[in-house]
Amino acid sequence: MPTDVIDWELAVSVGRRFAPGGPDLEPAAAREVVEQLRELARFAVGPVREQTGLVADDSGAVTEVVDRPTWIASNVAGFKVVLAPMLDRLRERGPSAVTAVGSRVTAVQLGGVLAYLSSKVLGQFEAFTTSAERPGRLLLVAPNIVSAERALAVTAHDFRLWVCLHEETHRVQFGAVPWLGPHLVEQIHAYLQVSDIDTGELLRRLGSGVGAVVSAARGSEGSLLDAVQTPAQRAVFDRLTAVMSLLEGHADYVMDEVGPQVVPTVATIRERFDRRRHSPGPIDGLVRRLLGLDAKLAQYADGARFVRGVVERAGRDGLNTVWRSPQDLPTRDEIADPAAWCARVL
């Protein structure tokens, strides 16, 4: 039986084994959290639809309240999709190439990263594994939501609804814009397609990656991902960054615009959430820099400013032009300059 490039089952196993334990909850209290999150997710559909003007096909839509191991398994399935082109090329090179990659070592690394992230993510839409036959699931990670609301000392009901508004916006983005999911996967595949470098170049870039580790430990800018990118990859990465900034910023904008109407303590939640988001502990800060997660946090703020800037100039209908086609998406430069996007597209 041929060796797969990544031992996917091992990745799931490692992730589940090393995922931190969740908050202490009595069984009855845990059931109450799950039921309330389901109820609030259903409620969020109306306010998000009214705020965005986007209508997603709800037939077959599924919202699931999950634990950390389930979130890990979902993301391993997503990695199978987005990494497929690169893994296929490695298989074509024969058994020696697959052995060189080290399927088990790679699986352990992937599982370790997912174990770390499994305690950080509040919710996620399964954009990469969505198809006509399998509608995407919206996942709400219950233990992380409870842990966050406790750490922030905010009203549980309000915080849970606030999170549901954000995640429902992601579901609507992909559900109302059929080309968005395939386009995102296509861009990731393009990123991987231009990563085919020879062994010598790979070693040189890995050496640069070691330098990035040292820099991250000292608190410098940059991440391991930045260090091992080729120039061709950076061009695709800029497009991906722009799309992700738009998606995350749009969701943050919606949750805060809807918030005052349905979440009485939204101002307190936002202030405390942002303070915690930008003030990690020393270990969390190091890992975030290594994985490039600080850049993801910047996407929320940059994207939200872009969305607000467009809405101020062109209203909601003008903003929704962004969902018309891939050509209407903002570039990375336009994310920082909404007037430039308006001049090009509107």
Side-chain angles (χ1 to χ4, degrees):
M1 184 175 181
T3 302
D4 203 349
V5 178
I6 298 176
D7 187 333
W8 298 110
E9 291 185 5
L10 179 60
V12 173
S13 177
V14 169
R16 288 175 168 174
R17 179 178 179 182
F18 291 100
D24 291 330
L25 280 175
E26 295 294 329
R31 288 193 295 271
E32 183 179 340
V33 170
V34 170
E35 288 305 314
Q36 186 176 64
L37 283 171
R38 287 173 178 162
E39 178 185 343
L40 293 175
R42 289 192 293 269
F43 173 81
V45 172
V48 169
R49 178 176 294 179
E50 183 177 350
Q51 178 65 38
T52 64
L54 300 175
V55 180
D57 181 5
D58 292 331
S59 61
V62 176
T63 297
E64 292 190 13
V65 182
V66 301
D67 56 13
R68 291 167 181 172
T70 302
W71 179 87
I72 288 169
S74 168
N75 277 267
V76 168
F79 272 110
K80 285 185 181 180
V81 174
V82 299
L83 295 179
M86 182 179 70
L87 301 184
D88 287 344
R89 289 206 308 275
L90 288 171
R91 290 189 192 98
E92 290 169 2
R93 294 176 182 175
S96 61
V98 173
T99 302
V101 172
S103 65
R104 292 180 64 82
V105 172
T106 307
V108 169
Q109 292 171 335
L110 176 58
V113 169
L114 290 177
Y116 170 78
L117 295 176
S118 71
S119 66
K120 311 297 179 184
V121 177
L122 302 180
Q124 178 177 311
F125 180 74
E126 293 181 323
F128 299 140
T129 53
T130 298
S131 65
E133 297 75 28
R134 186 182 184 278
R137 296 185 303 169
L138 178 60
L139 306 181
L140 298 171
V141 190
N144 298 349
I145 293 172
V146 172
S147 293
E149 70 196 26
R150 289 179 175 179
L152 296 172
V154 293
T155 304
H157 174 278
D158 288 6
F159 183 75
R160 293 169 191 176
L161 176 53
W162 192 66
V163 171
C164 287
L165 292 169
H166 182 102
E167 301 308 329
E168 170 62 16
T169 303
H170 284 318
R171 188 189 73 81
V172 167
Q173 289 165 346
F174 287 96
V177 187
W179 56 262
L180 183 58
H183 174 73
L184 196 56
V185 172
E186 179 183 300
Q187 291 301 302
I188 295 174
H189 285 178
Y191 181 85
L192 297 174
Q193 190 67 35
V194 295
S195 66
D196 195 14
I197 54 181
D198 61 35
T199 303
E201 178 67 4
L202 177 61
L203 291 175
R204 187 188 71 77
R205 294 188 178 279
L206 288 177
S208 299
V210 173
V213 172
V214 175
S215 296
R218 293 174 177 171
S220 302
E221 294 293 327
S223 68
L224 189 58
L225 182 60
D226 295 326
V228 299
Q229 282 181 344
T230 66
Q233 281 179 308
R234 287 195 186 95
V236 182
F237 188 70
D238 281 350
R239 295 198 295 272
L240 278 168
T241 298
V243 175
M244 296 309 299
S245 295
L246 171 66
L247 298 179
E248 297 294 1
H250 183 235
D252 256 23
Y253 167 81
V254 169
M255 72 195 299
D256 286 344
E257 288 296 306
V258 172
Q261 307 164 42
V262 296
V263 182
T265 59
V266 64
T268 299
I269 291 173
R270 169 56 75 188
E271 188 274 328
R272 294 181 184 178
F273 188 79
D274 281 350
R275 188 194 318 153
R276 182 170 179 260
R277 178 189 272 178
H278 296 291
S279 303
I283 299 301
D284 265 8
L286 171 60
V287 175
R288 278 181 11 178
R289 288 192 296 274
L290 288 176
L291 297 178
L293 298 181
D294 279 351
K296 178 175 173 60
L297 295 180
Q299 290 173 0
Y300 289 91
D302 295 344
R305 281 193 294 270
F306 170 82
V307 170
R308 289 190 178 93
V310 173
V311 170
E312 288 171 1
R313 292 169 172 83
R316 188 188 72 180
D317 290 344
L319 172 66
N320 283 346
T321 306
V322 81
W323 312 114
R324 189 168 54 190
S325 73
Q327 291 71 38
D328 295 308
L329 291 170
T331 65
R332 190 168 184 175
D333 288 341
E334 289 171 341
I335 285 288
D337 188 358
W341 178 84
C342 289
R344 178 176 67 86
V345 175
L346 300 181

